[in-house]
Structures are given as C-alpha cells and as structure tokens.
Amino acid sequence: MTSRERLLCVLNGGIPDQVPVSPFIQEEYLSYYYDKKNTSRLYDAVALRRELDFDLVTRQYVNEIPYFLQRSFPNWEVERKLEVVNGNYIRTLTVTTPEKTFRQVEGAPYNPKMLNGIHFSTMEYLIKGPDDFEVFRKYFPGRQKQDADHILESGKEARKVIGDLGISCPWAMGGVYNLASTYMDVQEMMVEAITDEDYYDDYMSFFTDLVVSDHEIFVESEFDCVGIQGNIANGGMMGADYFETHVLPYEKKAIDVLNAAGKPSIYHNCGKARSLYPVYPKLGITVWETISEAPQGDSNLKEAKEYFKDRLILFGNFDQVHFLKEATPEQIEQKAYDLMMTGKQGGHYIFACSDYLEIGTPLENVKALLRGARAASRY
C-alpha cells in the first residue's frame, strides 16, 4: 500500500498492510529542521516526508486567520498590528463598528528564527460581555464567494502536492468550543453556561452556525479529512457531565455535517482526557488524537484501546516532550516498538507522538522513532 492508501484504509475502519506511522509535523519542528523563519505545513512537510519516509498527514491552516478578521467589510473595519515589545511579540486586533470598537491583545516570546506557528496567549479578549456580543453579532460580516473558493482551491493544491505520500487534514475554522473561547475568556464561558444559560446558548449557537457553514464548504473540497481542535474543553477543565451538557450539543451539530457527507474528522485533544472517555464516542468523531500521557495528559494507550475498542480510531501516545528529546536512540527505538505492539492490536490506530515534534528534537532520535515503530507495524 502507498501511504495514502494505508491512511485512508484506517480512516474507513479497515486493517491496512501495516499501521501508519505519522509524526505530527508543524512549523516549530519545520523551522528548526530547515533553519528558516517561515515554513509551510504543506510544502515543507511534504519535503520532510520525502527525506524521512513516514505516512504524512498534513495539518495546514487553510485560514489561520478567519475570513471575518482577515479584512474589512462594510461597518466592520479590521486593523491588525504585530510588534516586538520588551522581547515579546505583541499582536493587537482592532475591529471597529458603527456602535463599538473591539480590541484583542495577544503576546508570545519573540523568536528571531520563527514567526508562523508561534503560540500566542490572550491578554485581552475581543468580547467582554453580553453587550459586546450583541454588537459583534449585529455587524458580523457574511462569508463571500472568494472565501469558499479559497478553501476549495487549497484542497485541490494539497491533493496535487501530497500525491500518494499521505493525506490532507487541515484545520477548519475550529472546534466550536475552541473557536468560541478564542474571543471570550474560557473561565467566563464556563461560568456563563451555568449562571446565564440564555447568553451562553446564544453565544455558542452563533459560533456553531459559523463552524457548520465552514464544514459545509470543506465537505465539498478535495481535502481527505478535517481537523477539529478540541483541546480547550479538556478533562482538566471539566468533567463528562459538564462536557455532555454544555459542549457536546454544539460540537456535534458541526461534526454531523462532516459525517453526513462521509468526510472523516480528526479531533485533537493533547491534554487530559480520561474523564471524557464516556462522551467522546457521542461526538461522532472518526479519530481522537493524541492519547497523551504525562506530562501533557492523563491517558494510557493500552487503557484507551481497551475502553474504545472499535468505536474510535486512536492516534498518538509517544512522549515527545521529554523522552523523544532526551533518551538515547536505542531507548527510543525500543519504546516505539513496544508502543506499536500495543496500539496495533485490533487495528483502529495510527502511530504518532502525543503532539507535534518539538524544537530541539535530535534528528537521530526522530529516525529511531520511525525505525522502531516501522519494525512492529506490519499485521
């Protein structure tokens, strides 16, 4: 099988010739590996795959900035500013409407070798209460044809560039909860769900409809599956009952669009998840990644395999935070072999780390990871 055939086989619930070995690749490692500031999750990831021979799942952003913040619209003036202040990136977004001006401020450590892929922390949120949201919703601009065309053209380009080296799984606009918490403090969201249910439902329903409209375009595209960010509503933030009541209905409505069209989804929670096991199958997702053990999460691959059986495809579990960077190649190769032997049982598994490959990961260790996993991957 080609890498593409192998991955699609797993996504369709089948047993391939061997378990796909697919390290999570994004800008951090690509910038480190290629020693350049701007990298592509598509073109550079394909180049890396050609060098290291793994089963590629691309994770490109089709729109890292959503359409409504990329440019101005009538009654919706957008201004973006990025500057370096006291050794930090400061990113300021201003949206001006006839009734109110909104501002969001984010910060991140300055890195002269990397620009895209940096993780910003929000210091001031765009929406600060119900009054803000009413104005935000009143003037919110509709999507234009050029926005849909961009998604469709990006899908065609990804299919052409990747070929048989793997599959494309771009991030759509966002998991509903992740997207909603981008513009309102998540702690406020969690409280509003209980203290002001009508406001919370209005707020979440607005962003649900936005993601639904995004997914409706993605199902028409040539992208092989769709990535859904689910890491904010994690098991460290909330329990299964809270998730099922206040998160699942909104996420599921958007995921149902993908399922109705037969478009697989990969749902990403790289943190704590064990308490959410009962609700994950109810979401309707195809794949859950990344089954993270400590220090990131609280999951164990063997336990997760036993719990989910064939209800979910599992993706991940190798510690890239410490072990992959600090252990010897011999230790890494053996651990990858052992983990693969656990994950491959019964199928429904793709081998990867517990999140993206990090800056400072020695190349010989990455090669040992791939070598050990491949040695145990055949069915």
Side-chain angles (χ1 to χ4, degrees):
M1 284 183 162
T2 65
S3 288
R4 176 176 177 79
E5 291 169 339
R6 188 174 297 129
L7 285 158
L8 291 178
C9 178
V10 176
L11 292 183
N12 289 320
I15 302 292
D17 59 336
Q18 60 190 49
V19 176
V21 177
S22 183
F24 192 153
I25 305 294
Q26 59 184 37
E27 292 92 345
E28 285 86 347
Y29 187 74
L30 292 170
S31 289
Y32 168 74
Y33 185 86
Y34 288 114
D35 193 24
K36 62 180 183 178
K37 189 169 186 176
N38 292 294
T39 55
S40 164
R41 293 189 181 201
L42 175 59
Y43 300 102
D44 289 311
V46 167
L48 186 68
R49 189 276 179 213
R50 292 186 186 278
E51 291 185 43
L52 300 184
D53 188 21
F54 53 88
D55 301 302
L56 177 65
V57 179
T58 61
R59 301 307 182 88
Q60 68 265 40
Y61 282 110
V62 177
N63 290 303
E64 187 168 6
I65 300 170
Y67 78 89
F68 57 88
L69 297 177
Q70 289 177 5
R71 62 190 188 276
S72 296
F73 296 80
N75 297 320
W76 184 272
E77 184 178 332
V78 176
E79 181 183 356
R80 305 185 67 88
K81 182 169 66 174
L82 178 66
E83 53 191 337
V84 179
V85 179
N86 296 326
N88 293 295
Y89 282 120
I90 301 295
R91 188 165 67 185
T92 304
L93 164 69
T94 305
V95 178
T96 304
T97 72
E99 295 183 42
K100 184 170 288 194
T101 295
F102 301 89
R103 190 173 82 139
Q104 182 140 328
V105 182
E106 301 164 307
Y110 174 65
N111 185 338
K113 289 191 173 183
M114 185 170 67
L115 180 58
N116 53 349
I118 290 175
H119 297 280
F120 282 80
S121 297
T122 303
M123 299 179 287
E124 180 182 341
Y125 285 87
L126 204 67
I127 298 172
K128 301 172 179 68
D131 293 342
D132 278 0
F133 175 60
E134 285 305 315
V135 176
F136 180 88
R137 177 167 57 179
K138 179 179 179 179
Y139 293 103
F140 189 83
R143 196 191 306 261
Q144 299 178 335
K145 184 177 182 297
Q146 70 184 71
D147 302 305
D149 288 346
H150 173 66
I151 295 173
L152 298 176
E153 288 302 316
S154 297
K156 292 178 182 177
E157 179 70 5
R159 180 69 188 92
K160 180 177 68 174
V161 172
I162 297 167
D164 289 331
L165 301 180
I167 62 173
S168 57
C169 183
W171 300 112
M173 187 171 284
V176 173
Y177 201 85
N178 268 46
L179 182 63
S181 67
T182 301
Y183 308 112
M184 186 206 296
D185 190 321
V186 69
Q187 295 180 71
E188 293 182 16
M189 285 177 59
M190 295 187 72
V191 173
E192 298 288 4
I194 298 170
T195 61
D196 193 342
E197 295 179 16
D198 290 341
Y199 171 43
Y200 179 80
D201 182 60
D202 283 348
Y203 186 82
M204 289 295 292
S205 295
F206 174 85
F207 284 103
T208 300
D209 292 342
L210 189 58
V211 175
V212 164
S213 70
D214 206 48
H215 284 180
E216 287 172 345
I217 302 170
F218 273 86
V219 299
E220 299 297 329
S221 75
E222 293 187 30
F223 288 119
D224 297 300
C225 54
V226 175
I228 300 170
Q229 301 101 326
N231 58 297
I232 300 299
N234 65 72
M237 291 283 289
M238 61 189 66
D241 291 344
Y242 187 98
F243 188 102
E244 186 158 6
T245 302
H246 301 298
V247 179
L248 187 145
Y250 307 102
E251 298 282 16
K252 189 175 186 306
K253 183 178 179 181
I255 293 167
D256 283 347
V257 174
L258 303 175
N259 290 333
K263 186 76 74 173
S265 59
I266 296 181
Y267 185 84
H268 181 94
N269 174 14
C270 55
K272 293 183 178 180
R274 185 179 295 174
S275 64
L276 302 180
Y277 283 8
V279 292
Y280 273 4
K282 298 178 183 179
L283 281 170
I285 55 178
T286 312
V287 179
W288 166 44
E289 66 176 12
T290 59
I291 314 96
S292 304
E293 293 187 347
Q296 284 183 271
D298 61 357
S299 299
N300 172 273
L301 181 61
K302 184 175 185 297
E303 293 175 358
K305 290 282 294 184
E306 291 171 351
Y307 183 89
F308 291 111
K309 296 183 171 61
D310 62 355
R311 292 183 294 167
L312 284 182
I313 297 164
L314 302 181
F315 195 161
N317 202 223
F318 196 99
D319 169 24
Q320 85 292 343
V321 177
H322 294 299
F323 195 86
L324 184 58
K325 289 192 288 188
E326 298 168 4
T328 67
E330 293 75 21
Q331 291 171 323
I332 290 166
E333 186 171 347
Q334 183 60 56
K335 185 171 182 178
Y337 183 97
D338 294 341
L339 193 65
M340 176 65 84
M341 292 299 292
T342 298
K344 70 186 286 188
Q345 302 304 315
H348 297 86
Y349 178 63
I350 300 171
F351 180 94
C353 296
S354 290
D355 211 339
Y356 55 84
L357 293 182
E358 297 189 347
I359 292 172
T361 306
L363 177 59
E364 59 267 28
N365 289 12
V366 175
K367 289 181 176 180
L369 174 81
L370 301 177
R371 191 165 56 245
R374 281 279 191 238
S377 65
R378 288 202 167 271
Y379 283 105

